[in-house]
Structures are given as structure tokens and as C-alpha cells.
Amino acid sequence: HVQLVESGGGSAQTGGSLRLSCADSGHGYSWYCMAWFRQAAGKEREAVAAIFTGDGATYYADSVKERFTISKDTAKNIVYLQMDSLKPEDTGTYYCAADLYSCWMPSLTQSFPYWGQGTQVTVS
């Protein structure tokens, strides 16, 4: 059973920073593509960022460009989301997602079969 585990959520003030981590529960899969999504209360889940683990190519939603950075530690099979200059509208539950075979359309939830349970981020 594949399990992605997020950590690093919490509370921050406007303009502050948080770093999220996403780790495979130990299966050691070579993920082809990993991504972060978020869901605010009463809203649909939306893509935040994605990274192709092969060459490190990245995707960012317009709302987080220049503020968030997605990166990977291939040896540890961990993906990070560094969130700087946080805004109240960044508040939500952040989910890690992954795919073993493709990084096609990383902005779509349907592109990812594997998901974590989510970690809450609150910016005030």
C-alpha cells in the first residue's frame, strides 16, 4: 500500500515562510512526477506546483510563482515545498500527489493516482 506522508504544515503570519515535506512511506518507488495541491474551505482542490523527478523541470500555479519553490531530494525520495511571502489566501490543506509514469498535465488532480492525507497551512 503506497502512502505519501506530508509534514511541515502549521500557522504563519502574512509574509512569513513554511516548508512542507512529502515522503514516501518507505516503498522506495522512483516517482516520475510529484506535486503539491491545496484546498481551501469550500473550494475545489487546485494545483500549486509539480516537479518532474527526472530532470527537475517544474510547474507552478500563477498564484504562487516567485513565492513558492518545489524541490526534491532524490536520494531520500522526499519532495519539498518552500513557501515564502505567505498570504492569507494561501490558507488551506496542502496535499502531496505522485505518479510513477507520467508528468502529463500536472495541474490536474486526475493526473495523480497517489495522494497523501494533507497538512493544514494557516496564514493570518
Side-chain angles (χ1 to χ4, degrees):
H1 177 64
V2 175
Q3 186 175 5
L4 299 173
V5 181
E6 304 98 336
S7 60
S11 298
Q13 293 186 337
T14 298
S17 299
L18 287 171
R19 190 177 80 156
L20 306 182
S21 301
C22 173
D24 183 304
S25 58
H27 288 76
Y29 289 120
S30 296
W31 299 107
Y32 194 94
C33 189
M34 299 188 78
W36 289 95
F37 286 73
R38 67 185 180 190
Q39 188 167 18
K43 295 187 177 181
E44 293 186 354
R45 193 170 298 187
E46 63 176 4
V48 175
I51 186 165
F52 167 47
T53 58
D55 65 5
T58 56
Y59 157 86
Y60 292 97
D62 288 342
S63 59
V64 305
K65 283 181 179 176
E66 308 300 327
R67 300 190 299 120
F68 290 10
T69 303
I70 188 170
S71 62
K72 60 182 176 66
D73 184 328
T74 303
K76 297 181 179 179
N77 216 19
I78 296 176
V79 170
Y80 302 99
L81 184 67
Q82 178 67 42
M83 305 186 294
D84 298 319
S85 301
L86 283 164
K87 304 176 180 180
E89 50 263 45
D90 294 319
T91 294
T93 302
Y94 282 68
Y95 297 90
C96 178
D99 192 353
L100 286 169
Y101 306 111
S102 171
C103 213
W104 181 77
M105 299 295 284
S107 63
L108 301 180
T109 57
Q110 302 95 307
S111 298
F112 296 93
Y114 301 103
W115 291 83
Q117 295 300 306
T119 185
Q120 179 67 33
V121 171
T122 303
V123 184
S124 59

